[in-house]
């Protein structure tokens, strides 16, 4: 196994200083090849990127089954994170949040089965079910820790108030929410709350779902049928053109520091989290092994004050919400 720095999140959970987002290994941002995906996952472990993120909902369970193939002979090398809480509504076919205690207990057993392991290192509530008190959901999650099925608890897209209520029930290791140069709403409430409570932060979509890395110049760069980004307002025609101004700044700073745009986006996030006093480990996703190396290389990129300021300023000019439904993410409920 390669060596990489480690970061301690909340509840004493120690993970590699950069993680890997598994969602890209199901066809949300274009087609995937399972053989290449598995090779990419093995490469992660080879270079020390051992904090691997998945969810029961990705690919309808296929993502967890793919990760199971990695775990089959390398379980001890992985810090395994998965999630429950997004479910299909049988009447409308739309996704909905679900967090009743019986559902939590059902989901964990299904995930353990698909992952072919007997313990999950970090188990997240993926979305808050507003019809269930958060104390009930986290109480059921705490029972999973007591039963030895789960080691640590996390919460995705919670507000600061929801985080405080949850932390009163059981120690929370991490909040996982979107955070990047163009998605900074979490800095208003939930990041300061996490910092105050000693809870870690796991920024998802740290490359802006690939946008900040510079290869997406227009909606025609997104697959016309299956690419999920087509449903996100800031990727819509018009908004996307305006938002390219952010990418120009990221690219120009990348040239200045001799790094790639993706590395600059990740370095900005690392430095921003440090400035706000929160332990933070991003989970960029990619289908390609070479990009795992590139993204891990961000750990040695440093931006000076002027460069950070230029990126901060560029990020404030972004147009279009980060989610189709603002209430689906924490910002809509703060
Ligand atoms: N909790 C939640 O609600 C939630 C929501 C979204 C995501 N997540 C988690 O967060 C993880 C990461 O988020 P994400 O996948 O949405 O977005 P991301 O990591 O910001 O971006 C992923 C995209 O960037 C591209 N990419 C990656 N590294 C690159 C590089 N060095 N240069 C150029 N392009 C690069 C990938 O394309 P290639 O595959 O072609 O490299 C992929 O399309 C997910 O995998 C998932 O585990 C959680």
């Amino acid at each position: 196994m390669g060596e990489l720095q480690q970061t301690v999140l909340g509840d004493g959970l120690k993970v590699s200083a950069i993680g890997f987002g598994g969602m890209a290994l199901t066809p949300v941002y274009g087609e995937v090849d399972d053989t290449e995906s598995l090779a990419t996952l093995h490469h992660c472990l080879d270079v020390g990127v051992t904090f691997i993120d998945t969810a029961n909902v990705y690919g309808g369970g296929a993502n967890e089954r793919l990760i199971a193939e990695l775990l089959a002979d390398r379980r001890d090398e992985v810090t395994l994170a998965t999630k429950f809480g997004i479910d299909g509504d049988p009447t409308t076919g739309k996704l909905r949040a679900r967090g009743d205690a019986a559902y939590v207990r059902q989901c964990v057993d299904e995930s353990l089965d698909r992952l072919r392991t007997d313990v999950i290192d970090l188990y997240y509530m993926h979305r808050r079910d507003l019809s269930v008190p958060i104390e009930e959901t986290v109480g059921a999650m705490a029972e999973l820790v007591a039963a030895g099925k789960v080691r640590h608890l996390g919460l995705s897209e919670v507000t600061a108030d929801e985080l405080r209520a949850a932390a009163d029930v059981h120690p929370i290791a991490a909040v996982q929410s979107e955070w990047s140069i163009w998605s900074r709403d979490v800095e208003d409430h939930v990041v300061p709350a996490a910092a105050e409570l000693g809870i870690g932060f796991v920024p998802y979509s740290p490359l802006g779902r690939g946008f900040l890395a510079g290869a997406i110049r227009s909606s025609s760069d997104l697959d016309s049928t299956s690419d999920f980004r087509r449903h996100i307002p800031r990727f819509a025609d018009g908004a996307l053109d305006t938002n390219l101004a952010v990418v120009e700044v990221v690219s120009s700073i990348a040239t200045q520091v001799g790094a790639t745009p993706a590395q600059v986006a990740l370095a900005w996030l690392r430095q921003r989290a440090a400035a706000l006093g929160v332990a933070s480990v991003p989970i960029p996703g990619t289908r390609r092994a070479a990009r795992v190396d590139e993204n891990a290389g961000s750990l040695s990129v440093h931006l000076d004050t002027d460069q950070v300021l230029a990126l901060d300023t560029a990020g404030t000019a972004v147009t279009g919400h980060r989610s189709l439904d603002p209430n689906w993410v924490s910002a809509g409920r703060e």
Side-chain angles (χ1 to χ4, degrees):
M1 189 182 91
E3 288 297 314
L4 210 72
Q5 295 152 238
Q6 305 269 297
T7 298
V8 183
L9 299 172
D11 197 24
L13 176 61
K14 191 189 273 190
V15 299
S16 55
I18 194 153
F20 179 80
M23 189 179 76
L25 306 182
T26 41
V28 282
Y29 302 147
E31 291 310 311
V32 296
D33 174 274
D34 282 353
T35 305
E36 182 183 13
S37 295
L38 195 55
T40 299
L41 285 165
H42 276 286
H43 187 71
C44 284
L45 301 190
D46 292 342
V47 299
V49 176
T50 55
F51 182 34
I52 308 286
D53 188 85
T54 180
N56 63 350
V57 72
Y58 299 161
N63 201 274
E64 288 186 327
R65 279 191 284 270
L66 178 75
I67 306 281
E69 295 190 39
L70 176 75
L71 301 178
D73 50 357
R74 303 185 76 172
R75 176 66 187 92
D76 292 349
E77 295 175 55
V78 177
T79 308
L80 173 65
T82 192
K83 320 181 191 81
F84 73 91
I86 298 181
D87 190 23
D89 183 333
T91 52
T92 62
K94 282 183 64 180
L95 294 179
R96 63 174 182 186
R98 199 170 155 196
D100 53 286
Y103 184 68
V104 176
R105 289 193 283 269
Q106 173 195 327
C107 284
V108 77
D109 288 339
E110 290 171 352
S111 280
L112 288 169
D113 205 36
R114 278 190 293 266
L115 289 159
R116 286 187 268 129
T117 188
D118 50 14
V119 66
I120 292 160
D121 297 300
L122 175 56
Y123 199 41
Y124 290 104
M125 178 188 83
H126 206 160
R127 284 293 182 277
R128 169 82 206 285
D129 177 350
L130 295 173
S131 71
V132 174
I134 195 160
E135 291 81 357
E136 173 180 332
T137 308
V138 178
M141 294 168 75
E143 286 172 18
L144 305 181
V145 178
K149 296 180 180 186
V150 163
R151 291 200 170 105
H152 300 273
L153 303 185
L155 305 162
S156 177
E157 291 290 357
V158 284
T159 66
D161 287 347
E162 290 163 352
L163 179 60
R164 288 180 199 285
D168 280 346
V169 177
H170 190 276
I172 302 296
V175 173
Q176 180 181 131
S177 293
E178 184 167 359
W179 191 9
S180 69
I181 291 167
W182 78 339
S183 294
R184 299 189 51 188
D185 53 87
V186 290
E187 292 179 30
D188 294 339
H189 302 288
V190 66
V191 168
E196 178 199 318
L197 297 168
I199 293 168
F201 215 92
V202 176
Y204 77 70
S205 302
L207 305 175
R209 300 182 189 263
F211 185 69
L212 300 170
I216 301 160
R217 310 295 304 175
S218 82
S219 57
S220 63
D221 292 325
L222 308 177
D223 188 290
S224 59
T225 49
S226 63
D227 198 307
F228 172 73
R229 291 169 289 200
R230 287 188 168 272
H231 303 293
I232 300 174
R234 58 181 50 181
F235 281 95
D237 284 328
L240 193 134
D241 289 346
T242 305
N243 293 333
L244 281 173
V246 187
V247 178
E248 298 312 324
V249 177
V250 176
S251 298
S252 114
I253 289 172
T255 305
Q256 285 172 30
V257 298
T260 67
Q263 289 175 329
V264 167
L266 294 169
W268 175 88
L269 197 43
R270 190 185 72 245
Q271 292 181 216
R272 187 73 195 128
L276 294 174
V278 71
S280 169
V281 174
I283 47 167
T286 176
R287 295 164 291 183
R288 302 161 216 270
R291 287 181 170 172
V292 172
D293 296 339
E294 179 185 334
N295 296 340
S298 67
L299 291 170
S300 49
V301 173
H302 183 79
L303 308 173
D304 69 25
T305 312
D306 289 345
Q307 289 160 343
V308 170
L309 192 61
L311 292 165
D312 287 347
T313 307
T316 58
V318 165
T319 183
H321 203 277
R322 67 183 175 93
S323 173
L324 185 59
D325 173 4
N327 285 317
W328 188 243
V329 294
S330 60
R333 305 193 304 276
E334 288 281 13

